[in-house]
């Protein structure tokens, strides 16, 4: 299958490589000429055979809207656009309507895998019309992890990004729980090897997970996280999850508390947020703030 991929950053660049390894043709465009296969969006569209499929991997909001606006004028009826970034689900409905006027299909794909996706595969949560989703199945199969799991057609347009948003909200709460447990272990004098306690949990316990493995990785690199400042950003999806909970009268105390804990980290040097920052860096390559 042939695919145009827009945005070749940490995720997009690795996705291009994984899809190519599966035997598909990927032509990538990025504003950085050092990684781009073509010089412009227009050239990208010209090199693709109709009906075209374009996958967008750029930041949510203005950047995604700008790309959608440009593609709307470059593409033809029967083409399909996939938004694989972290867009808000309400934007998906808007983009689908804007492109639909021109006869262009739209699919939203929540993508999870971070900097490890090239090696391990990406979990994909997809929203859109069945005909458009079915057309993209070869690409989804190339990106997903090996085995029966890792891909779902979650529902209509917006369902993919809504599902990914909830996924990230759960991630917030899980990270917060590990961080709180780590701080408590570090605080008491009787526990002399906190890192090895975390390592011992990696097998045979109900709290084992990939996040726990990444926590151990981080502690191997900096045993007491002394090099980090206790400051953690939020991606925006945690906020959207809490807002959706309010709109739907669904109680989310753990996720909400974990979001507020990140806000608190910006007021002082929080030990827990050192672990949150370390985990975000481990799974997503997110920047951390080092101590002076």
């Amino acid at each position: 299958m042939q695919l145009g991929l827009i945005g070749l950053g940490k995720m997009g660049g690795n996705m291009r490589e994984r899809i190519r390894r599966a035997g598909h043709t990927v032509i990538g465009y990025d504003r950085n000429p050092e990684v781009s296969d073509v010089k412009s969006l227009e050239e990208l569209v010209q090199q693709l055979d109709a009906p075209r499929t374009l996958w967008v991997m750029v930041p949510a909001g203005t950047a995604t809207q700008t790309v959608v606006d440009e593609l709307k004028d470059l593409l033809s009826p029967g083409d399909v656009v996939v938004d694989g970034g972290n867009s808000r689900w309400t934007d998906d409905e808007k983009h689908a309507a804007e492109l639909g006027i021109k006869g262009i299909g739209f699919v939203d794909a929540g993508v999870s895998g971070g900097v490890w996706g090239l090696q391990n595969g990406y979990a994909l949560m997809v929203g859109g019309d069945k005909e458009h989703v079915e057309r993209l199945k070869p690409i989804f199969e190339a990106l997903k992890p090996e085995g029966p799991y890792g891909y779902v057609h979650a529902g209509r347009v917006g369902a993919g990004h809504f599902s990914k948003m909830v996924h990230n909200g759960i991630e917030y709460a899980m990270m917060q729980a590990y961080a709180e447990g780590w701080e408590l272990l570090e605080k008491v004098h009787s526990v002399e090897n906190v890192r090895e306690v975390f390592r011992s949990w990696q097998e045979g316990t109900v709290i084992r997970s990939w996040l726990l493995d990444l926590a151990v990785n981080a502690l191997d690199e900096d045993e007491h996280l002394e090099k980090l400042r206790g400051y953690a950003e939020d991606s925006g999806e945690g906020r959207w999850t809490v807002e959706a909970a309010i709109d739907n009268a669904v109680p989310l105390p753990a996720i909400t508390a974990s979001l507020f804990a990140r806000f608190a980290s910006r007021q002082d040097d929080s030990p827990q947020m050192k672990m949150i920052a370390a985990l975000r860096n481990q799974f997503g390559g997110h920047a951390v703030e080092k101590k002076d």
Side-chain angles (χ1 to χ4, degrees):
M1 185 173 174
Q2 191 183 57
L3 179 74
L5 184 58
I6 302 165
L8 303 171
K10 287 180 292 189
M11 291 261 302
N14 282 344
M15 288 169 64
R16 174 176 62 176
E17 178 61 24
R18 186 172 175 89
I19 297 168
R20 284 176 174 172
R21 289 180 185 179
H24 301 289
T25 299
V26 184
I27 304 172
Y29 168 70
D30 193 277
R31 291 185 299 177
N32 179 0
E34 295 183 3
V35 300
S36 189
D37 300 319
V38 293
K39 296 179 180 178
S40 66
L41 273 181
E42 185 175 6
E43 184 181 349
L44 173 61
V45 171
Q46 289 172 351
Q47 290 199 21
L48 296 171
D49 300 327
R52 307 170 188 87
T53 302
L54 283 296
W55 189 303
V56 181
M57 287 296 295
V58 302
T62 302
T64 297
Q65 184 64 59
T66 299
V67 172
V68 169
D69 289 340
E70 291 186 47
L71 290 177
K72 185 170 55 178
D73 296 329
L74 292 171
L75 297 180
S76 305
D79 294 343
V80 174
V81 173
V82 183
D83 179 6
N86 282 332
S87 293
R88 189 182 173 101
W89 81 96
T90 49
D91 289 344
D92 296 326
E93 298 166 356
K94 178 175 179 289
H95 295 155
E98 292 170 346
L99 293 168
I101 293 173
K102 296 286 190 76
I104 302 165
F106 179 84
V107 171
D108 62 287
V111 182
S112 181
V115 296
W116 298 85
L118 175 59
Q119 174 183 340
N120 298 335
Y122 300 87
L124 303 166
M125 296 141 272
V126 177
D129 293 344
K130 184 177 180 180
E131 62 175 303
H132 299 143
V133 172
E134 287 296 318
R135 177 168 142 188
L136 284 151
K137 284 288 285 290
I139 301 299
F140 298 147
E141 291 293 331
L143 287 170
K144 68 179 283 296
E146 293 184 12
Y149 307 115
Y151 159 74
V152 62
H153 182 188
R156 63 187 67 180
V157 166
H161 281 145
F162 193 94
S163 299
K164 176 59 163 49
M165 177 195 74
V166 174
H167 164 281
N168 282 25
I170 294 170
E171 175 188 294
Y172 272 51
M174 291 176 65
M175 291 167 68
Q176 184 65 28
Y178 285 127
E180 291 175 7
W182 173 80
E183 182 181 359
L184 182 57
L185 286 166
E186 285 278 342
K187 195 75 172 179
V188 300
H189 296 298
S190 59
V191 181
E192 298 177 339
N193 201 336
V194 175
R195 178 178 62 188
E196 296 309 310
V197 170
F198 261 58
R199 198 187 310 278
S200 75
W201 294 342
Q202 289 182 276
E203 297 292 343
T205 73
V206 296
I207 64 166
R208 65 189 185 274
S209 72
W210 187 35
L211 275 176
L212 178 62
D213 296 340
L214 294 176
V216 173
N217 287 352
L219 294 173
D220 282 338
E221 294 172 6
D222 179 7
E223 183 173 356
H224 302 287
L225 303 181
E226 294 170 326
K227 300 174 184 177
L228 300 182
R229 191 164 80 85
Y231 178 100
E233 284 286 358
D234 64 286
S235 63
E237 290 184 289
R239 301 185 190 209
W240 299 343
T241 305
V242 173
E243 290 170 4
I246 293 169
D247 291 341
N248 291 278
V250 175
L252 300 185
I255 292 173
T256 302
S258 66
L259 174 64
F260 286 1
R262 294 199 187 185
F263 296 161
S265 80
R266 297 161 205 180
Q267 299 170 356
D268 52 35
D269 191 19
S270 165
Q272 293 172 24
M273 287 304 129
K274 291 182 179 183
M275 177 59 77
I276 298 293
L279 283 168
R280 294 182 80 244
N281 178 257
Q282 285 285 325
F283 72 74
H286 300 289
V288 296
E289 294 205 5
K290 301 286 188 178
K291 282 196 168 181
D292 295 334

